[in-house]
Amino acid sequence: MNAPASLPAADSLRAALSGLLDGIPARQAGQAVERLIGHYRGATPTDAPILRDRADVAAYAAYRMPATFEAVHAALLAFADAVPGWAPGSHVDVGGGTGAAAWAVSATWDGQRPVTVLDWAAPALDLGRELAAGHPALRGARWERARIGSTLTLEPADLVTVSYVLNELTAADRAALVDAAAGAARAVVIVEPGTPDGYARMIEARDRLVAAGFRVAAPCPHSASCPIVPGTDWCHFSARVSRSSLHRQIKGGTLAYEDEKFSYVAATRLPVTPAPARVVRKPQIRKGQVLLDLCETDPALNRTTVTKRHGALYRAARDTDWGDPWPPRSAQD
């Protein structure tokens, strides 16, 4: 889902991050990022904050915040498309660290709203508060330390986001967190890495939300069980992330971008109009035809072929990207 970022928020975030590594040698920053990514991608839940100090937080935020922002923003755009005309009046970001999801919410819906970011790493919250001071929609956000797990209680909110958090928790704590979100919010958006394990955690959370009475707004065109046979495949999408000089300083390489793979579910108690189908693989564009792999309302996974004889629909298919709804709303009018 390569939806463009909201430029003011994306640019503002990039500017806020630009000075984070001043005075920190590139090699040291790169080593910190590699260590921290190893922790986050690991399979063992942790009992202590992974981000231990200012240097850890600065290195990780400089590298990961843009990617987290783009992934969460893409998920929120898909959700907003399914609930047109609605905007959250309040937002709680659970395990939000330095606040990438809070920035993504501000990029999706205009205006200001009460925002609370919860995390158990005090250095991450401190840095998040500093970064947000330059963004009008987030200057009044609350940054609160909280243990994310079975003892967590959440205040009522229109929207609760949980991004790249579930991997850090035990199965019992994951279930408790999703239940707490379902009990507090009108809408819940969960984003996980676009890996088989990340997808499995997302599906587990999706099932709990549906059982709690939520309807899936995105990416699925239905709230029934996922049609993917467990262990055979996984549902994930891609967000394009511009690589700043800061990225290249940390990770090396020359490309101006990288692709962030992610899985997500956006569910709500609100009335929803989900997509008729969702493109779940990169479209294959061939001479005179476009092959689209779709998750459909049935629910089922099917491939459809759109050819030149379909006219406007064919032109729409050539512009359709991985993660987009199908057919686009413009083609349904």
Side-chain angles (χ1 to χ4, degrees):
M1 180 178 297
N2 297 326
S6 172
L7 291 179
D11 288 347
S12 181
L13 176 58
R14 192 174 295 112
L17 292 171
S18 63
L20 277 185
L21 298 184
D22 288 350
I24 301 177
R27 180 180 177 84
Q28 179 184 346
Q31 289 174 340
V33 166
E34 290 296 341
R35 177 177 60 79
L36 293 166
I37 288 176
H39 278 293
Y40 276 106
R41 289 178 177 169
T44 304
T46 179
D47 293 323
I50 294 172
L51 299 174
R52 303 171 304 190
D53 54 32
R54 172 78 182 203
D56 271 1
V57 174
Y60 195 75
Y63 180 61
R64 281 300 304 167
M65 271 192 83
T68 302
F69 170 89
E70 296 292 358
V72 177
H73 188 213
L76 292 172
L77 286 173
F79 173 73
D81 190 51
V83 286
W86 181 83
S90 56
H91 172 216
V92 174
D93 186 22
V94 181
T98 52
W103 286 77
V105 169
S106 74
T108 306
W109 292 282
D110 293 334
Q112 299 185 28
R113 60 190 56 83
V115 177
T116 302
V117 181
L118 304 176
D119 202 275
W120 59 347
L125 293 168
D126 291 342
L127 180 58
R129 186 183 297 108
E130 291 177 30
L131 296 172
H135 187 35
L138 298 178
R139 284 173 186 160
R142 293 188 296 161
W143 303 79
E144 298 182 358
R145 193 173 187 187
R147 173 70 168 85
I148 310 302
S150 58
T151 61
L152 180 69
T153 58
L154 297 176
E155 62 187 39
D158 279 348
L159 173 66
V160 169
T161 55
V162 184
S163 54
Y164 298 90
V165 173
L166 299 183
N167 186 51
E168 300 176 46
L169 306 178
T170 64
D173 282 352
R174 289 197 300 269
L177 170 54
V178 174
D179 290 347
R186 300 178 72 193
V188 177
V189 176
I190 296 174
V191 180
E192 281 288 293
T195 63
D197 286 345
Y199 161 75
R201 291 188 296 270
M202 184 276 298
I203 283 294
E204 178 185 80
R206 179 189 185 277
D207 290 345
R208 294 193 77 86
L209 290 172
V210 171
F214 279 65
R215 292 175 289 275
V216 177
C220 321
H222 57 81
S223 296
S225 297
C226 178
I228 296 176
V229 177
T232 65
D233 203 351
W234 71 99
C235 183
H236 65 292
F237 303 96
S238 180
R240 180 61 51 88
V241 183
S242 296
R243 299 183 73 210
S244 65
S245 59
L246 190 62
H247 270 75
R248 293 190 287 271
Q249 174 187 345
I250 296 171
K251 293 292 289 181
T254 58
L255 287 178
Y257 65 88
E258 61 185 20
D259 291 323
E260 172 71 6
K261 305 297 194 304
F262 66 99
S263 295
Y264 78 97
V265 61
T268 182
R269 298 187 185 277
L270 299 161
V272 296
T273 306
R278 181 79 57 183
V279 180
V280 292
R281 289 287 181 274
K282 185 175 181 179
Q284 299 181 42
I285 300 178
R286 299 178 179 175
K287 186 175 181 180
Q289 61 182 16
V290 181
L291 277 57
L292 300 176
D293 290 298
L294 303 174
C295 180
E296 299 182 317
T297 307
D298 294 344
L301 297 172
N302 289 305
R303 172 171 288 184
T304 188
T305 300
V306 186
T307 66
K308 282 186 175 180
R309 72 171 183 272
H310 291 102
L313 203 59
Y314 170 71
R315 292 189 291 275
R318 290 184 60 86
D319 292 333
T320 292
D321 210 344
W322 180 12
D324 286 348
W326 182 259
R329 296 202 186 279
S330 60
Q332 299 173 48
D333 298 336

